[in-house]
Amino acid sequence: MTQVPERPTVDGLEAKWSQRWESAGVYRFDRTAAREEVFSIDTPPPTVSGSLHMGHVFSYTHTDNIARYRRMAGCEVFYPMGWDDNGLPTERRVQNYFGVRCDPSLPYDENFEPPADGSDPKAVEARGELAISRRNFIELCHVLTDEDERAFEALWRQLGLSVDWSMTYATIDERCQRIAQRAFLENLERGEAYQIEAPSLWDVTFGTAVAQAELEDRERPGAYHRIAFHRIDSHGARHGTVEIETTRPELLAACVALVAHPDDERYQPLFGSTVVTPLFGVEVPVVAHKLAEPDKGTGIAMICTFGDTTDVTWWRELNLPVRAIVDRRGRLIPEPPAGIDTPAGREAYARLAGKAVGGARNATVELLRDSGELIGEPRPITHAVKFFEKGDRPLEIVSSRQWYIRNGGRDTDLRDALIARGSEMTWHPPYMQGRYTNWIEGLSGDWLVSRQRYFGVPIPLWYPLDDGGEPIWERPLVPDDAALPVDPSSEVPAGYGESQRGQPGGFIGDHDVMDTWATSSLTPQIACGWSEDTDLWERTYPMDMRPQGHDIIRTWLFSTAVRSHLGHDSAPWRHCALSGWILDPDRKKMSKSKGNVVTPVDLLDTYGADAVRYWAANGRPGTDTAFDEGQMKIGRRLAIKLLNAAKFALTLSGGAMPADAASPGDNDGAVRNPLDAALLGELAELVRVATDAFEKFDYARALERSEQFFWRFTDDYVELAKGRAYGGQGDEAAADAHLTLTVTLDVLLRLFAPFLPFVTEEIWSWWRPESIHRASWPDADEMAALVPDLPANAFELTASVLSEVRRAKTEARRSLRVPAERVTVSAASADVAVLSGTQLDLIDAGRIEDLSFVADDALAHPVVSVVLAPAEAQAQS
């Protein structure tokens, strides 16, 4: 029974329907569905380290649009939600919020209470950070992430995400840790994970190694320093200089060679000879390598261990010694490296020892200036410097023992296989596959997965100690699968006791944790229950869709492809749907680090979730989109118009549908009026277009075309058919109008349901018992059965004539209600025939007193002549 509210409103719909959807289990996944019936989504787990912003709302709405469409299209949608709560962002948030820092050397305090709760940042700053044990620190991480997860879930519910809230996970929970450790141990068993001592990129602020995928270049001021190295003859006497230019003079003590391109004629006579470093008097060779750039600086450069990744390449390929001077704190080591043996060299180094890199640079320049080995003054430049994407100080390269997973960076066959996996996925938009391929082709090393942090999934290994107490790295002790997850820093391997920790003949635990991407790369395995829930795994994997931002193709998307290729010999998903960035008014990416984000809570409260979703859905796949509050206003207007149009249609018709319609004769269930038939024909075509767009993951096109039709429906058809719907042309004609109104409303509500879930559900509930979000997607062929063989352009032609009549009244500054005394329509014969069949609706909508037609086959479009009633007629009306 149709029940239309007297005053329908969009306000309060989020709370009302969120509760009803949850209690009714509208979005609950049916685990009895066969794999071919399931559409599974690898939902991005948002980082729980603060508040959500409009960039999250933007991309997650896109995912939800697809999920809702697929559900209505007949799929059983597997749509879980995860929380990415381990890693550096969470650690930093805990440090700032509670005023603490982790010191693994401290014992666990069972009665620990945090010194602050984030309410007074100035008090935290004044007191300084309190050092606490790793276990106490991790407990605080869980406290804060639990609070953040509840806040995130509340906002997602307000936005209307149709996830199954009974299927959530957190990347640091016990199950996720177990799966992550199990996958790592399988990588180790197959030889895909390995540990080596090697130069690695190091963030001195966070005190951890950094992977290639986590780098970003930032433009920073710097300077070129021209420095004179001394040439020596066969007797060791100096005779002339070789000038180099460097932006890092502080690494002069770490210099192990000079390098030039093998084809550079200027330096070919020097290859194989040696030169002496200024200040430190160390003899270093002059070598040739193809990576040297003849047109950069003087064309010859110093190789230091290590200034940048090119230094690492030269060092490795030219088999040079290590003379490292920068420690993990970003300071120069206390003692000079091997090779600096002269009193003058050691005295010079003593001026630098212990200084931070910047201070050491200044001191080195002063020493060079005093010695006369600085040629001219430093030349200021701006250049790209590598940073950890979450860091605020330039990266250094230090030697450390780290764990790696093979990713094609050093293996051509694996690289080619991973590129080929990209072709097993359908990319939306297609050009994004090129970014995936380009990233793989540009890899220079394997995936560094270990981190020297605290809140993460521990590397699940111990190492035996020899009789001298030295670790035997090549013989790691592996836990039993049944024991997972394990924390080697507080648990012991089988066959050992805690008293043997750190003792000769005993063991040590691996203190590192896995990179956050090492866990996030397993979201398909985590969500689908790999190794834990075989039934769910078989129904959902490989997954159907990975939605994500295009900026993390190199990290999340690629790393997930690596783990699926290595572990399951398959691509992890069938479709990759990429979202663009949200841009601020200056066309810059919105991000928390830039401080230009807009939080969604106030916008959701002001405009409603449907309006905010409308704005998001207008952003095309993979395209960066400007934040536009004006579009939210349009979205709210659309939602309100839907309510009003539905009230009009349902109040008049009582919700009549084809089975209920009074349709005599052989035309049972179909309309008879050419205007109605043409509208429904266009509606059937709209369904085809919207369905095709959704099948191609182009939700924005589906919304655009649906909205265009809706406004034509309300502005033109409703006005044209209103008089007939009220009975002005008899009961049969009114029944046709009622049927057309309700069929069109029914279809439009379903087309809008993925975008405006709250208002469409509200209207649907006025005349349907089930949820619209479990209703079937409109079928264009079924709709075509309602359309008899009548002129397909009747609606378009009639609406165009009505528009001309309205325009004439508007231009004359007359009310639309003023009668048109005489309207003459000149048109081609075929168009006149069509308009003759809709003239009663046209006369009523245009308030036309005398309508006549003139056939003129020379006209491509109708020409309308309008004579309005005198002004006094307007006053009487």
Side-chain angles (χ1 to χ4, degrees), residues 368-379:
L368 288 167
R369 187 177 283 118
D370 292 344
S371 68
E373 292 163 317
L374 179 67
I375 311 300
E377 286 300 307
R379 176 165 55 90

Side-chain angles (χ1 to χ4, degrees), residues 64 92 140 148 197 206 283 441 501 531 564 581 667 765 775 793 848:
D64 196 58
R92 175 178 277 184
L140 290 183
D148 287 342
E197 173 91 23
F206 290 108
E283 204 170 307
E441 291 176 340
R501 187 183 297 273
S531 73
S564 280
W581 290 337
N667 200 30
S765 72
N793 63 340
I848 301 170

Side-chain angles (χ1 to χ4, degrees), residues 192 405-421 440 446 558 562 565-566:
E192 298 150 0
I405 291 178
R406 302 186 192 281
N407 68 352
R410 301 187 185 282
D411 183 334
T412 302
D413 290 341
L414 178 56
R415 178 187 296 134
D416 292 343
L418 289 168
I419 290 173
R421 287 291 180 208
I440 298 174
D446 286 328
F558 173 61
V562 169
H565 174 79
L566 297 177

Side-chain angles (χ1 to χ4, degrees), residues 165-280:
W165 289 107
S166 69
M167 308 190 85
T168 60
Y169 65 85
T171 54
I172 200 64
D173 67 27
E174 185 174 301
R175 183 175 72 90
C176 290
Q177 290 199 48
R178 185 165 56 247
I179 289 174
Q181 290 185 340
R182 182 177 293 134
F184 173 82
L185 292 174
E186 288 194 3
N187 291 135
L188 179 64
E189 184 178 2
R190 294 192 297 262
E192 298 150 0
Y194 63 92
Q195 185 187 46
I196 57 170
E197 173 91 23
S200 57
L201 292 158
W202 189 267
D203 186 282
V204 298
T205 300
F206 290 108
T208 185
V210 176
Q212 182 180 353
E214 298 170 306
L215 305 182
E216 65 180 34
D217 287 335
R218 300 179 192 171
E219 291 295 317
R220 295 288 293 253
Y224 270 125
H225 305 77
R226 185 172 288 237
I227 302 172
F229 280 67
H230 303 282
R231 298 177 61 182
I232 54 175
D233 59 23
S234 57
H235 303 291
R238 297 186 179 187
H239 65 99
T241 61
V242 178
E243 296 179 4
I244 65 101
E245 284 194 339
T246 179
T247 59
R248 301 206 61 181
E250 72 277 9
L251 296 182
L252 187 57
C255 179
V256 292
L258 296 188
V259 63
H261 195 278
D263 297 333
D264 194 330
E265 296 179 355
R266 294 172 296 175
Y267 300 110
Q268 284 176 344
L270 292 179
F271 295 148
S273 68
T274 59
V275 294
V276 174
T277 63
L279 297 183
F280 305 108

Side-chain angles (χ1 to χ4, degrees), residues 81 211 318 371 391 545 560 590 683 851:
M81 177 61 72
L318 297 170
S371 68
M545 176 186 179
T560 310
M590 277 193 180
L683 185 60
L851 175 64

